[in-house]
Amino acid sequence: MSRIRKAIFPVAGLGTRFLPATKAMPKEMLTVVDRPLIQYVVDEAREAGIEHFIFVTGRNKEVIEDHFDRQFELEMTLRERNKKAELALLEEDLPQPGATSFIRQQLPLGLGHAVWCAREIVGREPFALLLPDVLVQAKKSCLAQMIATYDKLDAKANLIAVEEVPEDRTHMYGVVGMGERNGNAFKITGMVEKPAKGTAPSNRIITGRYVLQPEIFDFLAKQGRGAGGEIQLTDAMIALSKSQPFYGYDFEGRTFDCGSKIGFLSANVSYALAREDLADEFRGELNALLGKK
Ligand code: G1P
């Protein structure tokens, strides 16, 4: 079983749901408390042992590249002012030299196309894929949980994080059919992207964390169009599932869909309440806002 060393982060989306905030700023740089969304997802990958971070970007996303680089003038000023804690924080978040790659997705052709754009940098090894719209708040990084399970699966297995949603929401996601279970993992019997209402094979949706085999690129290369006229990752996974096993994984943790305003606001509240330096005071503010003592 090959080790998972590389992760793809598709960050080319326009973020139209957050206009005007995202007019000049990428949606991945929206902050939850005091860290940009993308930093949480990179941290999750790093905690899972990922060594190379591949960002599939688009126009107007340069600031993401800057975020994972040194900010020389800022560091100098902090040093002059003896701001040791702030300097240490920046240092801690900085990826190793050479551990990041940035590729442009030239056209918004869908998630499958974004993943395919990373094929040369991934090469022929299994890799992780994390969608930065989804934050998973958990004791142990969601991807780390997945890789621990992946390591026990048969060779050439693919593993997808899934979660339960109410039936009336399944049409907004990729949905999996459930087969034989082994602990937190189960065999996937089928997949469908954005099923019409009432036709989903289960209420388990694809959450935005994947461990995939490189053969997925061979199917993505065919560039077939699916739901919404886009090149869908789910369709390539369906094709690959004819020759390789796919497993669903019920992870421990809570997700926030930060592609939606309610999910994003809830994430801010939940992550603030999890912070020792903020929780007590913030809880007081929240209670006052809600009219509670
Ligand atoms: C994508 C995937 C879908 C998955 C979802 C999770 O959809 O295509 O299978 O359930 O992410 O957020 P999108 O959100 O890009 O429409």
Side-chain angles (χ1 to χ4, degrees):
M1 183 76 45
S2 314
R3 221 154 53 79
I4 308 297
R5 300 186 306 125
K6 298 179 184 175
I8 302 176
F9 304 86
V11 292
L14 290 178
T16 46
R17 280 191 280 179
F18 278 91
L19 285 169
T22 49
K23 187 177 165 194
M25 183 181 73
K27 64 173 173 170
E28 297 79 13
M29 292 301 291
L30 291 170
T31 49
V32 169
V33 188
D34 51 10
R35 297 169 83 68
L37 282 172
I38 187 67
Q39 181 76 59
Y40 286 93
V41 186
V42 164
D43 290 348
E44 180 188 329
R46 190 147 55 170
E47 206 186 311
I50 297 298
E51 294 163 4
H52 197 111
F53 307 86
I54 305 167
F55 300 86
V56 182
T57 75
R59 282 179 290 282
N60 302 324
K61 299 278 184 171
E62 292 84 357
V63 68
I64 298 178
E65 205 164 332
D66 292 340
H67 179 75
F68 291 104
D69 195 359
R70 285 191 183 278
Q71 229 286 29
F72 189 69
E73 291 84 354
L74 174 65
E75 286 179 24
M76 210 163 68
T77 310
L78 291 175
R79 211 162 284 125
E80 276 165 15
R81 295 185 185 169
N82 207 22
K83 299 259 183 203
K84 291 202 173 108
E86 288 80 357
L87 270 169
L89 187 82
L90 293 183
E91 198 63 42
E92 208 175 282
D93 287 344
L94 200 66
Q96 290 290 315
T100 50
S101 296
F102 296 85
I103 313 146
R104 290 280 184 109
Q105 183 187 20
Q106 294 154 329
L107 289 167
L109 297 179
L111 176 60
H113 182 258
V115 172
W116 181 71
C117 287
R119 67 199 179 281
E120 294 285 341
I121 299 183
V122 170
R124 300 306 284 187
E125 57 182 275
F127 62 94
L129 166 66
L130 299 97
L131 309 189
D133 273 356
V134 181
L135 290 193
V136 188
Q137 194 176 29
K139 275 201 208 98
K140 180 177 177 183
S141 139
C142 176
L143 186 64
Q145 296 176 42
M146 290 175 74
I147 289 179
T149 295
Y150 170 82
D151 286 341
K152 294 184 206 135
L153 294 173
D154 27 323
K156 293 283 175 192
N158 298 266
L159 187 63
I160 307 173
V162 297
E163 70 177 314
E164 267 185 278
V165 300
E167 249 170 62
D168 61 349
R169 291 178 62 83
T170 50
H171 67 284
M172 303 189 306
Y173 300 95
V175 183
V176 303
M178 296 172 69
E180 197 189 329
R181 177 175 282 283
N182 184 355
N184 276 12
F186 60 86
K187 202 91 191 254
I188 289 179
T189 54
M191 288 174 264
V192 52
E193 182 67 21
K194 315 236 160 52
K197 279 189 181 172
T199 66
S202 76
N203 61 351
R204 285 286 200 300
I205 62 146
I206 298 174
T207 295
R209 301 291 185 269
Y210 311 72
V211 177
L212 296 171
Q213 298 298 327
E215 286 75 18
I216 195 75
F217 294 124
D218 306 336
F219 293 95
L220 290 170
K222 299 188 173 137
Q223 314 253 327
R225 305 294 176 112
E230 295 189 339
I231 299 170
Q232 294 288 355
L233 176 65
T234 305
D235 294 341
M237 295 197 299
I238 293 168
L240 179 58
S241 70
K242 302 204 169 34
S243 52
Q244 289 181 359
F246 273 73
Y247 294 89
Y249 182 73
D250 288 315
F251 55 93
E252 275 156 36
R254 192 197 189 294
T255 57
F256 296 94
D257 176 6
C258 292
S260 84
K261 282 173 197 156
I262 296 295
F264 176 71
L265 292 169
S266 307
N268 265 287
V269 173
S270 187
Y271 279 81
L273 288 174
R275 282 268 296 259
E276 264 175 34
D277 58 333
L278 299 172
D280 287 347
E281 201 180 336
F282 186 52
R283 189 171 286 110
E285 291 288 331
L286 278 180
N287 284 337
L289 282 172
L290 295 168
K292 291 183 194 162
K293 284 224 178 99

